[in-house]
Amino acid sequence: HEQMALHALAAARVMAMKLSSSSNALKRRAGGLVAVVYVSEGKDADAVNVLETVAEKACQQHGTRVLNVFRDGEYNRTGFTLGVGVASVAGHATPSVEPLKQSALALTEQALKTIDLRNHSATHPRCGAVDHISCHAVGDAPDDLAAQLAKCLGEGIGDRLKVPVLLYGLASSTGTQLADLRRKYGYFRRTSQDVSWSGAHRVGDGQVEADYGPSTIPPESGILMLGATRWVCNYNVPIVLGKCGVDADAADALAVARRLARQLSERGGGLPGVQAIALTHMIDAMGSTIEVACNLLDPSTCGPEMVQAEVERLFGEEGEFGWTVKRGYVTNLTPEDMLEQ
């Protein structure tokens, strides 16, 4: 009887372990949903302060959070990262995207009221007052949740705010990528010799194939590209030229830097999952700074360290302008940092 009792106890322990394992598999996993809203204003501190206040109030109202605000005065651009935790359980209903949609919509609406693209100028390309919104599932949150957010948000912006919305990535029914839209609609085409991009964004006959909203581009608001992808790391590497004798020197240096940026990018035969462009970032009494601005589409495969090393190699081999490659920087938090918040 004693031996039978021991066997029964052992069997009970095994069953308890199995039940515990099964229970753990159903436990809520750490995940999040993120929307990064890029607005074409970074120089006017008061205007950006108002936008940040609106974002904070909207997030408090809807139970979401402002995770990061990246102000770039030189590029006259600010990125607002809004997020919400997602508790996913196998077999349970998909979490609602409504709280984050409403938070991002409130920020977008205020930005469109604040910014007139016709009066905007920058050394960074842009196509709208609210230029771009990217939606991402982080941690254990499912990717289709980000796609759902992008579509719901796009519909709200198009219908309510009357801005042409173009979808990309997981939100696009045709699989169109952001880079495809940008090339198609003249995102990289400079409109000014002095500051590269200035005034209303113009596209051919002024019409776009919008997924939501009007097809005619409003000159004051431009167009908005909105999509869903896995997390993209933005990594910028400053290149300091020092004093250039004449403006032509800086222009020549920028032309070479753009050629090297193409070599760095996957499209130009460079690093996998890297998109890169060289932009004028700052010109002052000490000289000129160019930045190689990069999107790292798969940071786990090719991260900032690999990009930094390759930029240093490429620019080190071009010694004509005596430039100095500085340490690069990221413009946002990592998904891990976001989940901790």
Side-chain angles (χ1 to χ4, degrees), residues 281-312:
H281 190 247
M282 183 188 305
I283 300 176
D284 57 23
M286 299 304 294
S288 177
T289 298
I290 293 169
E291 275 197 347
V292 179
C294 305
N295 292 334
L296 312 188
L297 304 185
D298 185 1
S300 63
T301 299
C302 183
E305 292 299 329
M306 290 180 65
V307 171
Q308 181 75 33
E310 186 64 2
V311 170
E312 291 176 0

Side-chain angles (χ1 to χ4, degrees), residues 100-239:
L100 192 53
K101 169 199 163 183
Q102 292 297 338
S103 301
L105 188 59
L107 172 59
T108 300
E109 183 172 19
Q110 182 62 43
L112 290 170
K113 290 177 181 177
T114 303
I115 302 164
D116 188 328
L117 197 62
R118 293 169 293 187
N119 302 325
H120 180 267
S121 61
T123 60
H124 190 289
R126 82 291 187 274
C127 59
V130 180
D131 173 71
H132 175 210
I133 301 177
S134 60
C135 302
H136 312 276
V138 297
D140 288 328
D143 288 339
D144 59 1
L145 203 59
Q148 182 186 348
L149 171 63
K151 288 186 242 186
C152 291
L153 182 55
E155 183 178 20
I157 292 170
D159 291 350
R160 178 169 149 187
L161 305 181
K162 308 305 179 186
V163 174
V165 176
L166 312 178
L167 296 179
Y168 72 86
L170 298 171
S172 168
S173 60
T174 59
T176 301
Q177 298 304 307
L178 177 60
D180 300 330
L181 288 178
R182 285 177 164 176
R183 283 191 287 271
K184 180 177 180 178
Y185 290 113
Y187 179 81
F188 300 107
R189 187 175 59 247
R190 286 177 288 167
T191 59
S192 167
Q193 290 185 344
D194 295 334
V195 292
S196 296
W197 288 271
S198 180
H201 184 74
R202 290 181 168 79
V203 174
D205 60 357
Q207 303 288 309
V208 295
E209 298 173 14
D211 291 284
Y212 299 109
S215 58
T216 301
I217 304 173
E220 69 278 8
S221 59
I223 57 181
L224 196 162
M225 297 180 182
L226 196 161
T229 65
R230 292 303 292 171
W231 182 250
V232 175
C233 174
N234 301 125
Y235 186 69
N236 298 342
V237 183
I239 314 291

Side-chain angles (χ1 to χ4, degrees), residues 48 52 55-56 66-71 78-81 331-332:
V48 178
E52 189 168 351
E56 290 283 3
V66 177
L67 298 173
N68 189 56
V69 178
F70 184 80
R71 304 183 184 210
T78 301
F80 294 85
T81 304
T331 64
N332 213 326

